[in-house]
Amino acid sequence: MPAPAEIAARLGIAEGELCVRTTYEFLADGRPVQLSTSWEPYDLTAGTLVVLPEGGPHAGAGVVNRMATIGITVGHAVEQPEPRQATAEEASLLGVQKAALVTHIRRTYYSDEGRPVETADIVVPAPHCEIVYEIPINR
């Protein structure tokens, strides 16, 4: 799928370059509690067994482990959480009222060389999301 402008910027690629887009709906007790849409640059995984995050022998292994199988070491991730109102589609999928408060997290994984290898938009109803950070202190 061609990368929209915002996704292309997050992945450090040109707008319209091909990506693999995967959507997820996470459930708890049979009810949707989180939505996620991830994007990976197609040129990174094209022709490999990990081109489809949920297909092949490495299905469901996660970005870090999948990338490792093709020789890419993921060194860090950056998350940017922000509160906002749910879109009509998100509200419908999550079973909340339209414009209910959600936490939107933009997460991007980077290789050791600094290349973005995956970016995702994660949406969680605000009452289900507690944001906690642990910050290591170097002495």
Side-chain angles (χ1 to χ4, degrees), residues 41-64:
Y42 181 68
D43 72 324
L44 200 62
T45 59
T48 72
L49 293 175
V50 301
V51 68
L52 298 175
E54 298 302 322
H58 303 285
V63 175
V64 174

Side-chain angles (χ1 to χ4, degrees), residues 58-110:
H58 303 285
V63 175
V64 174
N65 292 328
R66 286 179 42 255
M67 293 297 161
T69 67
I70 59 171
I72 297 171
T73 302
V74 175
H76 73 283
V78 174
E79 290 191 346
Q80 179 185 355
E82 67 178 357
R84 66 167 172 76
Q85 293 180 323
T87 65
E89 181 182 11
E90 291 165 346
S92 177
L93 289 169
L94 290 167
V96 297
Q97 292 182 346
K98 184 179 174 186
L101 190 59
V102 296
T103 300
H104 175 205
I105 303 168
R106 289 181 185 90
R107 180 178 59 210
T108 304
Y109 284 100
Y110 294 86

